[in-house]
Amino acid sequence: MMEANGKDDLKVPLLQPAVSLEVKVFEPNQYDNEKIHMVKFKIRGIECASCVTSIESVLEKLNGVEKVMVSPLEGHAVVGYKPKIASAKTIKETIENAGFEVDGFPEQDIAVCRLRIKGMACTSCSESVERALSAVNGVKRAVVGLALQEAKVHFDPYITNTNEIIEAVEDSGFGADLINSASDANNVQLKVEGLHSPEDWNVIKTALESAMGVNHVEMDAEDNKVMVGYDPDVTGPRFLIQCINEAGAPSVYHATLYIPPRQRETEQQNEIRMYRNQFLWSCLFSVPVFVFSMVLPMLPQSGHWLDCKIHNMLTAGMLLRWILCTPVQFIIGRRFYVGAYHALRRKSANMDVLVTLGTNAAYFYSVYILLKSFTSEKFEGQDSFETSSMLISFILLGKYLEVVAKGKTSDALAKLTDLAPDTASLVTMDNDGNIISETEISTQLIQRNDIIKIVPGAKVPVDGVVINGQSHVNESMITGEAKPVNKRPGDKVVGGTVNENGCILVKATHVGSETALSQIVQLVEAAQLARAPVQKLADQISRFFVPMVVSAAFITWLAWFATGEAGLYPKHWIPKAMDKVELALQFGISVLVVACPCALGLATPTAVMVATGKGASQGVLIKGGDALEKAHKVKAIVFDKTGTLTMGKPDVVGAVLFAGFSMEELCNMTVATEANSEHPIAKAVVEHAKKLHQKYRSSTNHVEEAKDFEVHPGAGVSGKIGDKIVLAGNKRLMLAYNVPLNHEVEDYLSETEKLARTCVLIAIDGKVAGAFAVTDPVKPEAERVISFLRSMGISSIMVTGDNWATATAIAREVGIVKVFAETDPVGKAEKIKELQMKGTTVAMVGDGINDSPALVAADVGMAIGAGTDVAIEAADIVLMKSNLEDVITATDLSRKTMSRIRLNYVWALSYNVLAMPIAAGMLFPFTGIRLPPWLAGACMAASSLSVVCSSLLLQSYKKPL
């Protein structure tokens, strides 16, 4: 038994505290079939049984609290409560009001889900969905992306769930489908065959739940599917499939991987097909109506039969136009009625409201003319059936073209998603490293530590490490770097890249959602969902736009009707076959349908969507519209030195020994102290010291381990080796520990720093024992980049922890004038804040290791050379390569994007400002130019389309360098 459990089990107390035993008693649905949330508090001040009774009594009186357990020995309280009634915050406040102090307040569990939203057309729609989601009890935050047609919802899983969230969206008049939830990160869906009874399902569920590493199992009996959540460090999809298949004795179960169809592409195609079909059906009826109304009456020989009277003044043409127009108005145009109904029900207005008002006015006025003609022997009037039918046809055409264009805005994201191959070659190896078997499997079945064979021309399926073979890998699709990278055993490879010329064996290290490619896709999707601050203009306009348009249309109709009735304009202004009432009505309808709120709503999100996708394809990951907008305002860029302006691969070019110490002792102390440091310079020093140690070594190779190791940010490290105190760092560290620097040391420091080298001093027991001169070559493009930034009106500043002489020499080499040296990470952030206090928008470019405070403090943080580490939270923009030219690309792309957004807004606003007066007939008295309603509808559709096409022009963006 001891061997099975291991020696660590000896540390577990035989008698567990009462709290841990009682927690296991709870069943989630024990109370009223409602989930009970367990929460644990650390409470100070519990001294006796009386204190326990006091806490329990006040909590038991709290509405929603079901169970309380207090452990006086540990000072813990475990509380079971109903999240829909009580909250952890209320419980904490109740304990504090009883006179006790709560230390460990648990963070609230927040779940995240993404939804595909159907039916959004403009900003008003996205705002309505956002309001509906925010109104759901338990939803903490909801973000809706119009261009992406998605929503990201943060919610408390103990209060609500995804079904209730979807229901809220549907109640507001839109469709919603669950894309995924945060818990899907390590989930797999399996299709199971051979299930014939509930007992079969129970067998499979029991087998999976008892398997190592399985977190949860969800059964879908209707579709014969099983969703399994698992720990990728313990198990994987292949083992789960094997588990199901082996559970089938004597029955036979067969499990296979289920890959859900791609929703975005499928729904885009369905939407395109729907609008195309609706437009074609509409044309089938609208074109004859248009011909009967506008074309045939101009051809007397062909159109006289249309004037044949059927009853009283009702003609054959009028009746045919009504029969053909009605299906367009109420069947094909039904979507506009549904959209308008839901919009009005939620007390808002959108494009559907305007279209419905305009088409209904034309249709029912025409019906009135038809009925009047049917009942009167003398009435003469002209119907407008062609207005409503042609209007709906042109709007559907515009929607069709708009959906096609919007689909192209996500092309970059689709290309990223398609980079990973569908299958991979899994190999099995014996203990000697020989390949025993080779099997082709789905990429989604790859598990951590699997060995994958990658032949020339094949794509790398997942992130991993090369264990055998050598090749060149093209990483341009991930990093934008066109030059193939040489890969040897020990080198990392990234999923989605292409193996060019050699056969390599790769050990999988990151699979599924953990791969760099998956994280890039997630980051770009999040960026396209995030709303840019400039979008606020469209949001504000959309709130009053539709009511204003309706008012303007009514005033237009009233003005023309009143002036016509009063005879204030000559009769020859009225077109042939039209009366003054119809003329006024047509002007009013034209105002209704020419106004376009959709163009305003699409101006920002479509541009952001294209720009973030284009940036990702070039190795520049922009985390949303906020970062994109701030980057174009940048007037100063602060650069870190090591790894940013320099290559980040320091090399020791000299070592000197000062009196009183041997080279062997110096190397031993240096290796022992610097070995614990992650800094690139420390690693270079350790490597060089080891080489010197081998050269001068005596009979012993043993190096002691440093104790009391401490990092001094921006200065160096210290530690205790045996009974000796060792310091390794710069001059500032020596002065801080009062280590004297004689003339010999000072001269060496001065000489080294003048050569733009970093001097690492090693002090043993308060005396400088030796020094290492370290050089880090400047990146070849650094000078060119700094010069180009200057031409863009952006000043460059260098902030480094290195000494002044080295920092100044490097700055002079690349063309930077302003330098801050000997600055620790916190000091870098302070320097940025000082620049911001002067009103300057500041960007920080760092390697993302020790620059986090500065990256956060800057208006825009750029993490350069992040490689596969795309999850740097501190940065606003992640530059995949170590190339400084990407700093210019990020800044220039943001400027081009903001310029495009402004152009979109200028066009959208100018269109509405100019089109509405023309539609209202302002030019008609002077020029005779009139905008018929069907033509006004075509203009409205063209406005939205033009904004989307304008944003698509960003796909032709070229790097300035």
Side-chain angles (χ1 to χ4, degrees), residues 57 158 206 345 360 364 493 797 819:
S57 61
Y158 294 98
T206 304
R345 200 184 70 166
N360 276 342
F364 285 107
V493 290
I797 301 162
V819 181

Side-chain angles (χ1 to χ4, degrees), residues 252-271:
V252 178
Y253 304 141
H254 180 63
T256 55
L257 180 70
Y258 174 74
I259 303 174
R262 288 185 180 176
Q263 285 188 323
R264 178 182 287 129
E265 288 82 357
T266 304
E267 287 176 8
Q268 275 182 357
Q269 292 303 317
N270 289 341
E271 193 176 16

Side-chain angles (χ1 to χ4, degrees), residues 160-442:
T160 188
N161 55 47
T162 53
N163 290 333
E164 291 180 2
I165 291 170
I166 290 172
E167 191 178 331
V169 175
E170 290 173 345
D171 286 345
S172 66
F174 299 91
D177 289 324
L178 181 67
I179 299 174
N180 62 36
S181 60
S183 59
D184 291 342
N186 291 309
N187 278 1
V188 64
Q189 292 188 57
L190 305 175
K191 190 87 171 176
V192 186
E193 296 175 2
L195 301 171
H196 305 293
S197 66
E199 287 74 18
D200 290 333
W201 285 103
N202 290 332
V203 168
I204 288 178
K205 188 172 184 181
T206 304
L208 288 171
E209 287 177 340
S210 60
M212 289 285 290
V214 172
N215 298 327
H216 69 270
V217 180
E218 293 179 20
M219 317 294 282
D220 183 358
E222 187 177 337
D223 294 327
N224 281 359
K225 287 190 298 187
V226 181
M227 181 180 282
V228 187
Y230 64 93
D231 183 350
D233 290 325
V234 180
T235 187
R238 292 201 315 281
F239 292 145
L240 298 174
I241 289 173
Q242 183 182 346
C243 179
I244 293 174
N245 293 342
E246 291 176 352
S251 302
V252 178
Y253 304 141
H254 180 63
T256 55
L257 180 70
Y258 174 74
I259 303 174
R262 288 185 180 176
Q263 285 188 323
R264 178 182 287 129
E265 288 82 357
T266 304
E267 287 176 8
Q268 275 182 357
Q269 292 303 317
N270 289 341
E271 193 176 16
I272 289 171
R273 197 180 302 112
M274 179 197 73
Y275 277 117
R276 185 194 64 200
N277 292 343
Q278 285 190 343
F279 168 67
L280 293 175
W281 276 107
S282 177
C283 286
L284 186 65
F285 294 97
S286 299
V287 171
V289 172
F290 181 78
V291 170
F292 295 160
S293 300
M294 301 292 187
V295 180
L296 292 182
M298 297 179 182
L299 306 171
Q301 288 106 358
S302 305
H304 66 276
W305 61 274
L306 292 172
D307 295 327
C308 294
K309 294 178 181 177
I310 297 173
H311 181 72
N312 289 338
M313 300 302 290
L314 177 64
T315 63
M318 195 180 295
L319 184 62
L320 277 173
R321 288 192 290 271
W322 172 65
I323 292 171
L324 291 169
C325 177
T326 301
V328 178
Q329 182 69 32
F330 297 107
I331 299 175
I332 298 170
R334 179 178 177 274
R335 62 177 307 278
F336 299 112
Y337 285 97
V338 173
Y341 165 73
H342 286 297
L344 294 173
R345 200 184 70 166
R346 58 180 179 261
K347 298 178 181 178
S348 66
N350 59 8
M351 194 68 230
D352 291 332
V353 173
L354 295 180
V355 173
T356 304
L357 283 173
T359 56
N360 276 342
Y363 178 83
F364 285 107
Y365 170 77
S366 301
V367 169
Y368 163 76
I369 296 294
L370 183 142
L371 294 173
K372 190 84 173 173
S373 300
F374 181 77
T375 57
S376 173
E377 295 179 359
K378 297 181 180 179
F379 177 78
E380 289 186 9
Q382 181 63 37
D383 62 87
S384 299
F385 284 120
E386 81 285 349
T387 297
S388 66
S389 60
M390 291 301 293
L391 182 55
I392 288 173
S393 297
F394 273 107
I395 290 172
L396 288 173
L397 174 62
K399 281 289 180 187
Y400 166 69
L401 296 173
E402 182 186 318
V403 169
V404 171
K406 279 165 68 177
K408 295 184 183 299
T409 62
S410 59
D411 277 354
L413 191 58
K415 287 176 183 175
L416 279 173
T417 308
D418 290 337
L419 285 179
D422 295 327
T423 60
S425 182
L426 175 70
V427 300
T428 307
M429 304 180 73
D430 60 18
N431 294 331
D432 297 326
N434 300 315
I435 297 176
I436 302 172
S437 65
E438 189 173 324
T439 312
E440 187 170 305
I441 63 169
S442 168

